[in-house]
Amino acid sequence: MISSSLESLSVIHASSDSKTPDPLANSPLKSNQAPYKPSPSKLSKSLLTSLLIVLCVGSGLTALWSSSLAGLLSVAQATIRGGEQTPVELPHHWQNTSGSESLRSYEFELDSAEFESVVKPSDEPLFLFLPYFEQRVYLTVNGTQLSAPSIEEPRRNPLSHPYGRVRIPNEMLRDGENSFVLDVDTGSRPSGSVSQIYFGTDEMLRVPIALFDLLTVDLRIISIGTELVLAFYCLVVFVAYPKDTLYGWLSGALLSAVLCSVSMMNDLFPILAPWQSYFPILLPLFGFSFLGFAYRFSERPVPLFVRFGTLVLPAL
């Protein structure tokens, strides 16, 4: 009788074991099943969705910034002084093919009545706002040059986006016509440009400049942080699956893009300022990394010159 009881208990125990699910049955720790790995199709959908979001947000902010400039006094035409008085539309861009320093003088005139329509009360300070210029600008008002470090500092890095905001003292303005001259100096750079010119009070320029900073500085800092997070994620996936080089190339492209954009943080980290002219050298590294990612994304073998360029450039 004891033996029959033991046999029944063993049968019950066996049946209970067969019905109890094993929590590690489907785990990679107990089976040969490979862990989850994102597929290229899902990655492509994520990239396209992110791109659409960026385009929608960017276009909306750009339209908002353009509308904020509507109440300002704008200058869209100027005359280039020289052998011949050449009228041009602003913004204006030109190539410096001489190989040496090139300077162009843009002259325009505004009546005091136009300022009075913008500046109320009339004793409130007037500001000139220059959203974009290359490489440095010297401002002359009614024959007197105005010291303005924000536009006289040379622009050495094509990845930075400077703008000028200059206060014009009321005593420099006069009744009737006022003459303004912008001397745009290219330095040794191959190009020069000047944007449309705007005038307004400090209160009127507060919103446009805030939006301008958001578009040209704040969003880029946010994008740098996002790129770092994505680069770290792709690097972790690549280390876990070395054969899937798609994530390795994407991580390299994101990291090189971050390094190329670091120079825009010179104001936050002054230690970077002496190196700002060298950061554009990293642009080819970003190009090779992104090209390698494009080849792998299209499931094509990465050419040898892309691999070679990606390895050699950091060593240089």
Side-chain angles (χ1 to χ4, degrees), residues 3 18 20 58 98 111 145 187 204 212 255 267 282 308:
S3 60
S18 60
T20 303
S98 63
D111 193 270
Q145 184 170 333
M204 296 170 65
F212 191 79
L255 287 174
D267 294 337
L282 298 172
F308 180 78

Side-chain angles (χ1 to χ4, degrees), residues 103 113 149 165 223:
L103 185 141
R165 178 180 176 274
S223 67

